[in-house]
Amino acid sequence: MSSKSERATQVLVEQIDAPIASYFTSCVHCGMCADACLFYNETGDPRYTPIYKLKPMRKVWQQEFTLMGRLMKMLGLSKPITDEELKEWETLVYDGCTLCGKCSTVCPMGNDLVYMLRKMREGMVAAGYAPDGLKGAMTRAINLGSPMGVTLKTLQAQITRTEKETGLTIPIDVKGAEYMLLLSSAEIAQFYEIIGAAARIFKQAGVSWTLCSEAFEGTNTGIQIGASDLAAELIERIVAGAEKLKVKAVISPECGHAYTALRWEGPNLIGRPYPFKVIHILELLEELRLQGKLKTKGMEEQRLTFHDPCQLVRRGGVIDPPRNLLKQVASNFVEMTEHGMHNWCCGGGGGVSANERAHPLKAKVFDVKKRQLDELSVTTIVTACSNCRNMLDEGLEDHNMDIEVVSLTETIAEHLDES
Amino acid sequence: MSEVELLNWLRSTGLHISIAIFVIGLVFRVVQNLLIGADKNLAAPRGSKMGPGLATIVRRSFFHPHMTYRGYFTLIAGYLFHLGFLITLFFLSQHIILFESILGFGWPALPPAVIDVTAILGIAALIAVLIHRLIDPVLKQISDYQDYLAWVLTMFPLATGFLLMHPMGASYSVVLSLHILSFELLIIAIPFTKLSHMLSIFISRWYNGAMAGYKGIKQ
Ligand code: SF4
Ligand code: SF4
């Protein structure tokens, strides 16, 4: 065994907890998880079966945690994992998995496969087996504060632009504000209109909020590549910013993985609970709606649908708010056959969008989304994740489909009754 | 050891040893998994763990609307096999006499004609899942030696039991010895193979449901 595969083994052993040991124990190799995976479905390649993607981790579990496995290892009948194996699995685990979690909803044994895949990536990256594209994004996130290299300067330029366009002051570094808003790099770089949209909604509803110059980026490449230490560092920056400004809550932006990172993984990554609340922007809008503070007028009349960001909906639990909000401003809202918990991923989650090597595969698995959309013949897709937006735009363009992709928050803002 | 002595040993001491290994081994396996522990979740909960955990134990037993042919085949063949096997195991009069001698109480048996049906059902379903495993590309990709070992170990007691009820010329006591021996091998193997899913399935489903419940994910 080389030092690399030894390192992977060591980290994988550390990752195996009671749930994972129980999951591997329970697996009867029925193959039902394959049908939930967009990569298996769209390519027909059985290597994309979720449980198969976990094979090296399963091997480590067998050899280190089970009697049969130890025996086989002693007798030389089962060999330790090798570098070649890890190299092969790098493409299965990163290029061929968006951490969408659909597999976790179908296993008859109840196995939470994506929980295992997320932990398996810890072992892969610790041994150096991760895609260069994702490694680059990770380095930029740590060194520059953004996986796309977006800096405070860029944000400041977009703030100035927004202030000119809306006539509103965009609060930054306001101590004692109730909420601190985070953004994703893609929002700052490409979809800056979201800043104005949030500002107008918050003004109407009387929400006290601020941006933070030291913590404005909410995405987390660490949880995608599987480096908990780096993921924790990114979370610590946000915690420090929120503590400095003494806000009561941090608003997670329209980005799926940012939500999972901040809301569900964050406190566990840094090893302590937050002194503030984390709320997704859609959850906040839903609260405002229920309090009657979200007044809108007029309706979108074109046929439109909602694309569920996996980390927000299936893995995050924010299922109803986007639908309730959308219904307030859209009269012709139709659901895809498989939606909510059962939605198909856009194909670019889990770091796939940052991994150029995976892009041809990503384009292929978009076919499932295309079929879903063809069934509906909508003219607009509303979603709540800037990464999904980019992935949908690319996929639609590839197929010459004339469908507009928009943000839910922006859609709400367009219908704001400011009179 | 004569044929009769062997049979008697298998029926008493052999059986007791295998049951002990089965029960202790299986409980040990599951407890050992649990003892690895998991970090306390420090994220603020949105929902509870217990209710959704228990609900998931029940819910994952059902068909769900987005299943493909593989799902339907697996669940239907799986259910038929488990039903056939368990009814045969627990409701054949000869088996009940044995249970009574161990537990001190018995229950009414099903008529042999019914047991014939359940045994054949079990055997047929088992053959169907083996064929499926051998031809389905996904199953071929993910199967390992344990999947086939478990199949042989499960098939043997069913087949020998069927032979006992429908003698085809072989010596009764030899077939009976083989039947008991194969059953004992099966239950001894359970704690050491994927067959331990018979207990760990509840733990796995609970963990999955509890984690989702904690996050307030409505299923
Ligand atoms: S669906 Fe569950 S039991 Fe079946 S192969 Fe996948 S992980 Fe194993
Ligand atoms: S998380 Fe999604 S992409 Fe990854 S294996 Fe499961 S179903 Fe496939």
Side-chain angles (χ1 to χ4, degrees):
Chain A
M1 210 185 329
S2 77
S3 58
K4 271 172 127 187
S5 52
E6 260 169 42
R7 175 85 187 114
T9 307
Q10 185 194 343
V11 174
L12 288 173
V13 167
E14 286 162 17
Q15 294 300 318
I16 295 173
D17 56 7
I20 293 186
S22 305
Y23 297 151
F24 278 131
T25 304
S26 296
C27 176
V28 290
H29 280 167
C30 72
M32 277 172 72
C33 46
D35 298 316
C37 181
L38 71 165
F39 290 90
Y40 168 69
N41 264 282
E42 298 312 307
T43 64
D45 183 347
R47 296 182 318 137
Y48 291 124
T49 303
I51 194 70
Y52 188 73
K53 292 175 197 167
L54 289 158
K55 196 171 175 187
M57 191 185 209
R58 182 168 185 274
K59 227 174 175 181
V60 168
W61 163 76
Q62 266 180 328
Q63 292 174 357
E64 307 295 326
F65 291 81
T66 76
L67 194 67
M68 280 286 257
R70 278 193 206 129
L71 237 128
M72 303 274 290
K73 191 174 143 193
M74 264 167 52
L75 297 174
L77 291 170
S78 93
K79 302 255 177 292
I81 51 172
T82 63
D83 283 348
E84 292 71 53
E85 239 173 326
L86 292 172
K87 198 167 162 42
E88 184 185 347
W89 259 265
E90 179 190 314
T91 55
L92 297 181
V93 173
Y94 288 101
D95 304 23
C97 174
T98 57
L99 299 179
C100 78
K102 197 164 155 77
C103 46
S104 295
T105 68
V106 301
C107 169
M109 296 297 128
N111 292 351
D112 192 346
L113 289 140
V114 70
Y115 177 83
M116 303 158 94
L117 282 158
R118 158 74 181 86
K119 299 239 178 190
M120 177 160 164
R121 287 186 178 190
E122 296 275 338
M124 299 293 293
V125 72
Y129 291 101
D132 289 339
L134 206 47
K135 282 185 193 159
M138 187 74 251
T139 311
R140 284 189 295 278
I142 292 293
N143 295 341
L144 306 171
S146 148
M148 294 167 70
V150 170
T151 59
L152 179 61
K153 258 214 173 97
T154 326
L155 175 66
Q156 280 162 338
Q158 302 293 39
I159 289 177
T160 312
R161 200 163 157 194
T162 306
E163 288 183 335
K164 260 197 210 125
E165 282 171 16
T166 59
L168 297 172
T169 312
I170 303 301
I172 186 155
D173 294 331
V174 178
K175 273 212 175 88
E178 195 173 350
Y179 293 96
M180 176 174 114
L181 176 68
L182 296 176
L183 297 163
S184 74
S185 286
E187 285 177 329
I188 301 168
Q190 302 165 263
F191 307 122
Y192 79 99
E193 296 87 349
I194 195 106
I195 304 173
R200 286 170 51 219
I201 295 172
F202 294 161
K203 177 168 186 279
Q204 189 215 47
V207 171
S208 106
W209 71 289
T210 183
L211 288 166
C212 173
S213 60
E214 283 160 27
F216 53 85
E217 221 281 346
T219 67
N220 195 312
T221 313
I223 68 155
Q224 296 180 322
I225 202 166
S228 279
D229 49 342
L230 300 179
E233 188 175 332
L234 299 177
I235 294 290
E236 288 284 17
R237 292 178 191 171
I238 295 172
V239 173
E243 283 179 339
K244 192 168 163 193
L245 298 182
K246 298 193 169 53
V247 295
K248 289 202 190 70
V250 171
I251 306 173
S252 186
E254 285 199 355
C255 167
H257 285 275
Y259 184 65
T260 280
L262 189 64
R263 176 68 177 90
W264 299 116
E265 285 210 27
N268 300 311
L269 288 167
I270 63 172
R272 59 183 195 280
Y274 297 143
F276 49 82
K277 209 172 109 177
V278 172
I279 187 167
H280 190 265
I281 186 154
L282 294 190
E283 288 181 286
L284 178 56
L285 296 189
E286 174 71 348
E287 271 179 23
L288 298 175
R289 188 185 72 85
L290 291 170
Q291 292 162 4
K293 290 181 183 163
L294 192 67
K295 290 185 219 64
T296 57
K297 60 174 186 227
M299 286 283 196
E300 296 288 324
E301 274 156 21
Q302 77 278 30
R303 207 168 149 80
L304 54 74
T305 190
F306 182 70
H307 165 78
D308 293 276
C310 306
Q311 299 301 319
L312 179 63
V313 177
R314 179 162 42 236
R315 297 301 288 177
V318 183
I319 303 176
D320 295 332
R323 298 181 156 77
N324 297 341
L325 289 162
L326 196 49
K327 280 177 194 152
Q328 178 162 331
V329 294
S331 55
N332 205 351
F333 164 41
V334 284
E335 292 275 22
M336 291 179 239
T337 329
E338 288 172 308
H339 61 268
M341 278 296 285
H342 305 286
N343 184 45
W344 288 104
C345 176
C346 66
V352 169
S353 59
N355 172 8
E356 293 86 9
R357 185 181 68 196
H359 286 184
L361 183 58
K362 181 192 77 164
K364 173 87 190 100
V365 300
F366 186 79
D367 287 353
V368 62
K369 207 77 235 174
K370 177 182 180 330
R371 282 197 303 280
Q372 282 196 298
L373 294 168
D374 284 345
E375 250 175 48
L376 293 184
S377 51
V378 288
T379 55
T380 304
I381 309 173
V382 183
T383 191
C385 169
S386 50
N387 192 47
C388 293
R389 272 172 89 177
N390 273 328
M391 295 306 109
L392 290 166
D393 272 335
E394 283 174 22
L396 294 168
E397 203 181 301
D398 278 351
H399 293 283
N400 292 318
M401 291 164 79
D402 189 18
I403 303 178
E404 193 192 11
V405 185
V406 298
S407 126
L408 180 49
T409 305
E410 285 172 37
T411 308
I412 298 280
E414 269 163 34
H415 288 274
L416 219 52
D417 184 359
E418 282 157 317
S419 55
Chain B
M1 210 189 265
S2 74
E3 246 177 56
V4 180
E5 277 169 348
L6 175 68
L7 183 57
N8 282 336
W9 186 86
L10 283 173
R11 257 203 279 231
S12 52
T13 318
L15 187 64
H16 295 150
I17 295 175
S18 59
I19 291 178
I21 295 178
F22 163 62
V23 174
I24 298 170
L26 190 56
V27 171
F28 183 80
R29 176 105 194 246
V30 166
V31 171
Q32 192 190 23
N33 279 347
L34 292 176
L35 286 181
I36 303 171
D39 294 337
K40 185 179 159 20
N41 196 342
L42 300 170
R46 190 195 274 134
S48 64
K49 282 160 84 166
M50 194 49 87
L54 296 176
T56 301
I57 294 182
V58 179
R59 201 178 311 108
R60 290 280 165 124
S61 309
F62 305 136
F63 290 74
H64 58 86
H66 308 296
M67 264 169 24
T68 62
Y69 99 88
R70 186 180 292 109
Y72 281 108
F73 181 89
T74 307
L75 285 200
I76 293 172
Y79 267 115
L80 289 180
F81 158 70
H82 283 91
L83 273 176
F85 185 87
L86 293 175
I87 294 175
T88 310
L89 174 62
F90 288 110
F91 292 98
L92 176 73
S93 59
Q94 288 91 325
H95 291 165
I96 296 175
I97 295 170
L98 196 66
F99 281 118
E100 200 170 359
S101 73
I102 299 167
L103 300 171
F105 60 90
W107 51 86
L110 285 170
V114 176
I115 296 296
D116 259 355
V117 174
T118 59
I120 291 173
L121 208 66
I123 292 172
L126 214 48
I127 292 173
V129 296
L130 179 65
I131 295 173
H132 193 218
R133 194 172 285 290
L134 291 170
I135 59 173
D136 181 278
V138 166
L139 295 183
K140 276 204 299 206
Q141 185 82 55
I142 63 176
S143 300
D144 64 7
Y145 81 95
Q146 269 206 25
D147 296 304
Y148 299 102
L149 177 69
W151 188 90
V152 172
L153 288 169
T154 318
M155 184 52 121
F156 223 80
L158 270 170
T160 50
F162 192 76
L163 269 183
L164 282 176
M165 297 182 69
H166 304 272
M168 294 175 197
S171 144
Y172 185 83
S173 67
V174 170
V175 180
L176 183 56
S177 296
L178 282 177
H179 180 59
I180 300 177
L181 181 66
S182 62
F183 177 73
E184 289 169 359
L185 286 178
L186 170 65
I187 62 171
I188 289 173
I190 288 175
F192 307 102
T193 58
K194 70 164 186 175
L195 296 171
S196 21
H197 75 269
M198 67 175 285
L199 190 59
S200 67
I201 185 175
F202 301 103
I203 314 284
S204 296
R205 286 180 178 182
W206 189 85
Y207 271 132
N208 188 332
M211 279 193 228
Y214 191 88
K215 294 182 185 174
I217 301 169
K218 275 190 261 152
Q219 308 243 354

